Every structure is written in structure tokens, then in C-alpha cells.
Amino acid sequence: MWWRDAVIYQIYIRSFADSDGDGIGDLEGIRSRLPYLRDLRVDAIWITPFYPSPMADGGYDVADYRDVHPLFGSLDEFDALLRDAHAAGIRVIVDLVPNHTSDRHAWFTEALAAPRGSAARDRYIFRDGRGDMGVEPPNDWGSTFGGPAWTRTADGQWYLHLFAPGQPDLNWVNTEVREEFESILRFWFDRGVDGFRIDVAHGLIKDPALPDLGEEKEAILEPTRRVDHPHWDRDEIHDVYRAWRKVSDSYDGDRVFVGEAWVASPERLVRYLRPGELHTAFNFDFLKAEWGCQTMRDVIQRCLDAVGSVGAPATWVLSNHDVVRHVTRYGGGEVGSRRARATALLMLALPGSAYVYQGDELGLWEVEDLPEDVLADPVWERSGHTDRGRDGCRVPLPWSGDTPTFGFGPDGSLPWLPPPAQWRGLSVEAQHGDPASALELYRSALRIRREHPALGAGALRWLSAPDDVLMFERDPGFACAVNFADRPAHIRPPGTLLLSSSPLPEGLLPVASAAWFATGRSRSAPEAASIPS
């Protein structure tokens, strides 16, 4: 099963590559960069939503789940991309947004025109308001993007939207909703996609009583510790995924689901990974972990113990389109860059699969000074301009050249968000062939990971190491060491150096550095990568 140890590259489609000069990335842009992804040696790509949408939330407000937005191309262009990706040995995972539709979806348009209590309204969550004449929302739930989670319609009823008003929540108790999404799965599986990333996988089912929370705000990236939460991680949700698994299992080729489930603990997360449910789910505890030896070790071990209890693989991730890039989270500047390089080697050496967000391999940081007039994330408006939102991690990739467009699109076209001038030295062109660059570090790491028999699925054993150094071994013949200390660490190299995130003086592991070692030669072990000096 390829997905148990795959490296999947996340493509935020608006910001990957623009083929037609409109400043927005598209399917043909992805297709044109498949040689880059092949040479990077990723096993699969995950593409964020490309469906028809009014773009109230960057495409996560879907108006039609069976087509392509003209901004991004056409169904024919999707089919061509899928065909070429498969020819290059790259599988394709697409995004599915089941918690809500767009308010422009045909179903919601029908619901607004239908009377209270109608079958059309039952596909969503409509309720009468509270107070005199129902002028107050049905309960105190807040939107994750700021403001209330309810909007009143022309006839006085209210509809639920845990995100933006343009994203009305579906009613997953409704049989028609469940049947529709199983049909959507089949539509894309029939076209040949290899799997789905499930948006807000923990949020589909709501308590039918819609009780008050008594909290000021609900944030998707700050999961509740309550097991009985009225709209996150409810037990009834697993019936949905058991039905979906039957759909995926009816197709050849190891089709895969990966869940975006922000839940309270690894023990809650693996409930989604029990036999007959989802195949994989992101380990966000690893993403959220602060830089530190014991912190990282505890998070890794707890995750491995949890997924091992249900026979599922771990799924590691450091950044994505919803969170601050990890170079910045780890301190920014030279400190953040060194830590990000080291943690990349740590992640890629762990058992299971790993996701690389576009630009991670270039060492990109969060762009925190975007002009206010270009901010597009609905969080910016919904928060009353107090939260700049997620645009800083979505700035288009720098591919080549010295001008501010950096080869993102045809000459003269301006990207939808402006990249910083400092990214000139981080473009793919600038880093290509430079053994000290982040790009070449990732290329070497992914080559070794693909070739070394110890890497990917399997187990690990922790090794004795100096204080604030994390060291583990994997069979056959591999070890990884990471220095979290504020000084170089004297280590006894457990074998021959394969790769390091920074130069290694004899017997020393530098500050914020990681190294891979071959601990026993086998015929299938890879040759060492060139190490920057």
C-alpha cells in the first residue's frame, strides 16, 4: 500500500504555477512543473480545491463538485494532468470539502427559495431564531473566521456556517447528503484520482440540540478538549467514513483518504483510522510542537503508539496552507532556517508517510508584511481587520529570475500576492545545484528515503544520546540524530554519514542540525549524498 510510506507534496493551486498570465496558478501550471516534482522524487501530489466557486474562501466554498473553475482550467485539462502525473510515477490526491458548500451551490439556492421545513432546507442546518420575533441567532456558536456562525435569511430563519457566511454547513444526518457525496467520490475515482484529502474531517456531524457553547470563540486550529463537543469530533461521524471506505475499497489501485482532523489527542485521532475507516490522518500535534528535544520525542512516541494500536501509519506534516510556515514558527531568520532544515530530516526519517507543503523545500518563510489591500483571506474581513489571516503562507512560489514575479507566470504577469524581493535567492533556479541549499537538501533526503530499505514504513528505536540530542535507529542500517541544544553536541557517530542539514565537524553535531547515518552496509543501501562544506 503506497500511502503507508509515501511523500506527498501539497500544491496550493492558486500559488504554484500560472500558465496563462492571469496571476493565479492553474492546472496547466502544475502540469508544466511535473518534471520538477518528478526530480524532487515525491510519490504523490495533493491539489487544493479547483472546483467552480465564488472564491469566498479560496475555493473551499464549492459551487459544483464535478467540474473545474475556469480560473484553473477545465475537466479536459485535469484529465491531461492526471494522465501525465501518472506517467511520471506521481499519484494525485484531490481536496474534498464535505462540511459545507458554497452559498452559490444549486442546493443552497433551492433551499433559500424553499419554505421552512422543506426537503431542500433539510440538506442544510436551518433554524428559527431566539428572542422576540426570532431576531437572535439560534445559539451562541461563533464562526472560526470571526463573528457569529449564523446568518439570517429573508424569511427570518437562520442558517449555520462554521466558517464564512458563503459556506453554509450541510446536514450530515440527511440521507440525500450522504448519497450525494458517495456519488462525488465515485465521479473522481472513475476519472482515476488516487485519493482525497478530507477538509474539516472532524466537523461534519453536529449535536441536533444545537446547545450553547458558552465560549467566546471557536477556532479550528485550537481543538476543544471536550469529548462531547456539539460540533467537533462527534462519535457519529465515523459512520460516514465507514461508508466512504466501502466506496474506495471497491476500486483497484489502493485509493486513499487522508483526514484533516483537528482533535484533542492522538487517541481521538486514531479513531478515524480504525480498520474500515480512513487510511491516514495528519498528525497535527507534530506540526504544533515547539522546538525542543523532549517535546518532539514525546509527540513522536505518543503518535506512534496511538497509530500502532489500530495498525495505521503515522502521517507527518510541518506546514500547510492554513498555518504559519515552520521557518517562521521556529524563530525566523537564520535560527528558523536551521531548525526547519533539521526538522525536515527528522520528519523524513520517521516511520510512516510525510507531507511537504509547496515551498518547504525552498526554505520559504511566512510573509508577514503583505499590503493590506491584497489580503484575500476571509479571516481579515471577518475579524474586523485584527487578524491578517493565512495569506502569508500562500504567497506564490519563486521559480526563477530577479524580478518580483520570479517566474511564477509568463513575463509581465503579476502574481495574485506579491512575493518579497528577498526570495530572489530562494528561487528554484537560484538553489538548483547548490549543495548548501534547502532544495538540494530535500532532493538528497528524498532520494535516500526512496532508496534506503529502512526508511518509510516500519518502527524505530530510541538511542542513548547527549542531553537535548534526539537519536534513533531504524532497521536495516539507518540512524538519525538531531541536536536541539544551544551548543554543538559531541556524539559518537553511529555509522557512515549519509546526509546532514549543516556541515559536521569531526565528532560534533552543530546547533539546530540533523544528520543521517548508515549503520550497516547492505547491497540496497544508498550512497551518501554530497555534504555542504
Side-chain angles (χ1 to χ4, degrees):
M1 292 171 282
W2 65 271
W3 41 266
R4 296 187 71 91
D5 60 2
V7 175
I8 299 99
Y9 186 94
Q10 182 195 348
I11 292 176
Y12 188 70
I13 187 169
R14 297 175 66 89
S15 301
F16 185 68
D18 170 22
S19 71
D20 58 11
D22 64 358
I24 297 173
D26 46 46
L27 295 172
E28 283 296 299
I30 297 172
R31 188 180 176 201
S32 73
R33 298 296 185 177
L34 285 174
Y36 169 77
L37 297 167
R38 179 198 61 213
D39 294 345
L40 190 59
R41 292 183 174 84
V42 300
D43 300 296
I45 55 176
W46 151 33
I47 308 172
T48 56
F50 47 77
Y51 313 108
S53 165
M55 298 294 163
D57 182 23
Y60 281 92
D61 49 316
V62 180
D64 183 349
Y65 289 87
R66 296 179 177 84
D67 206 348
V68 174
H69 196 299
L71 272 175
F72 303 130
S74 66
L75 273 175
D76 286 344
E77 288 174 337
F78 176 83
D79 291 340
L81 168 60
L82 188 64
R83 181 180 62 249
D84 288 359
H86 286 167
I90 298 171
R91 291 179 167 89
V92 177
I93 295 170
V94 299
D95 225 314
L96 185 66
V97 188
N99 180 70
H100 47 263
T101 71
S102 166
D103 62 353
R104 309 287 179 85
H105 191 283
W107 272 10
F108 194 71
T109 301
E110 182 183 355
L112 289 180
R116 300 178 185 218
S118 63
R121 287 205 172 182
D122 191 57
R123 297 168 180 152
Y124 295 89
I125 301 175
F126 281 82
R127 293 292 188 275
D128 293 332
R130 298 192 292 193
D132 186 32
M133 303 296 291
V135 297
E136 298 294 329
N139 64 24
D140 66 353
W141 293 4
S143 162
T144 63
F145 291 161
W150 296 92
T151 290
R152 202 175 193 196
T153 62
D155 67 358
Q157 272 206 311
W158 298 74
Y159 70 86
L160 178 69
H161 52 85
L162 293 181
F163 296 88
Q167 296 168 290
D169 280 50
L170 287 162
N171 173 19
W172 273 88
V173 177
N174 183 291
T175 301
E176 190 177 2
V177 171
R178 298 194 181 203
E179 291 175 348
E180 170 67 0
F181 273 84
E182 290 179 24
S183 174
I184 292 166
L185 294 177
R186 292 188 180 94
F187 176 86
W188 292 103
F189 278 145
D190 287 345
R191 299 192 90 84
V193 304
D194 299 284
F196 291 88
R197 177 263 188 184
I198 304 167
D199 186 58
V200 197
H202 59 298
L204 307 190
I205 302 292
K206 285 77 176 176
D207 185 335
L210 301 177
D212 283 342
L213 279 166
E215 301 171 7
E216 291 184 0
K217 182 180 179 182
E218 278 298 302
I220 190 172
L221 304 190
E222 298 172 6
T224 180
R225 299 295 164 183
R226 290 170 53 182
V227 175
D228 61 342
H229 197 281
H231 62 257
W232 293 147
D233 189 27
R234 295 186 59 79
D235 291 344
E236 303 94 320
I237 204 167
H238 299 283
D239 291 338
V240 174
Y241 298 132
R242 282 188 283 270
W244 287 14
R245 181 62 177 265
K246 291 177 182 177
V247 174
S248 70
D249 286 351
S250 70
Y251 286 82
D252 295 330
D254 288 333
R255 312 299 176 100
V256 66
F257 293 120
V258 56
E260 181 208 27
W262 294 89
V263 296
S265 67
E267 291 74 22
R268 292 295 296 183
L269 183 66
V270 299
R271 290 166 57 83
Y272 293 79
L273 305 177
R274 291 172 295 189
E277 296 194 36
L278 303 183
H279 306 83
T280 61
F282 296 117
N283 175 16
F284 290 128
D285 285 348
F286 183 70
L287 178 151
K288 294 183 295 179
E290 295 183 0
W291 173 263
C293 184
Q294 194 60 47
T295 297
M296 285 288 190
R297 176 168 171 160
D298 289 347
V299 164
I300 291 166
Q301 188 60 58
R302 190 174 180 188
C303 173
L304 292 176
D305 289 344
V307 297
S309 70
V310 295
T315 303
W316 312 102
V317 60
L318 287 169
S319 285
N320 63 35
H321 66 292
D322 283 331
V323 300
V324 173
R325 284 190 178 272
H326 61 283
V327 168
T328 300
R329 293 202 320 270
Y330 289 155
E334 178 61 24
V335 169
S337 294
R338 288 180 65 90
R339 290 175 174 178
R341 290 165 62 96
T343 314
L345 290 194
L346 169 61
M347 177 181 75
L348 293 170
L350 293 173
S353 63
Y355 279 71
V356 174
Y357 179 45
Q358 63 180 46
D360 285 357
E361 80 280 15
L362 302 178
L364 301 186
W365 59 80
E366 186 84 359
V367 182
E368 299 177 297
D369 57 353
L370 288 167
E372 291 185 359
D373 63 350
V374 303
L375 296 178
D377 190 342
V379 172
W380 173 240
E381 293 295 336
R382 295 280 293 173
S383 68
H385 296 178
T386 60
D387 186 336
R388 293 176 65 86
R390 300 159 293 176
D391 289 324
C393 65
R394 300 173 175 184
V395 176
L397 291 191
W399 289 96
S400 61
D402 296 324
T403 64
T405 61
F406 296 132
F408 173 68
D411 290 344
S413 62
L414 296 176
W416 69 284
L417 290 174
Q422 300 96 312
W423 281 8
R424 180 179 296 108
L426 297 182
S427 71
V428 173
E429 180 182 63
Q431 295 194 47
H432 178 73
D434 177 1
S437 70
L439 176 57
E440 295 302 335
L441 178 71
Y442 269 83
R443 283 175 170 166
S444 295
L446 293 182
R447 175 181 63 81
I448 293 171
R449 180 183 166 100
R450 180 172 287 188
E451 295 173 357
H452 201 293
L455 295 178
L460 65 74
R461 289 189 303 277
W462 299 109
L463 300 175
S464 297
D467 290 345
D468 289 323
V469 174
L470 198 63
M471 190 177 298
F472 58 86
E473 185 176 38
R474 302 196 58 197
D475 289 333
F478 177 89
C480 175
V482 187
N483 184 11
F484 291 91
D486 58 4
R487 60 193 180 282
H490 290 272
I491 63 170
R492 180 177 298 172
T496 304
L497 183 66
L498 286 173
L499 182 65
S500 61
S501 63
S502 56
L504 263 60
E506 188 69 28
L508 287 176
L509 185 61
V511 172
S513 296
W516 287 359
F517 300 93
T519 60
R521 246 338 133 179
S522 69
R523 287 181 298 174
S524 55
E527 295 300 315
S530 58
I531 306 299
S533 60

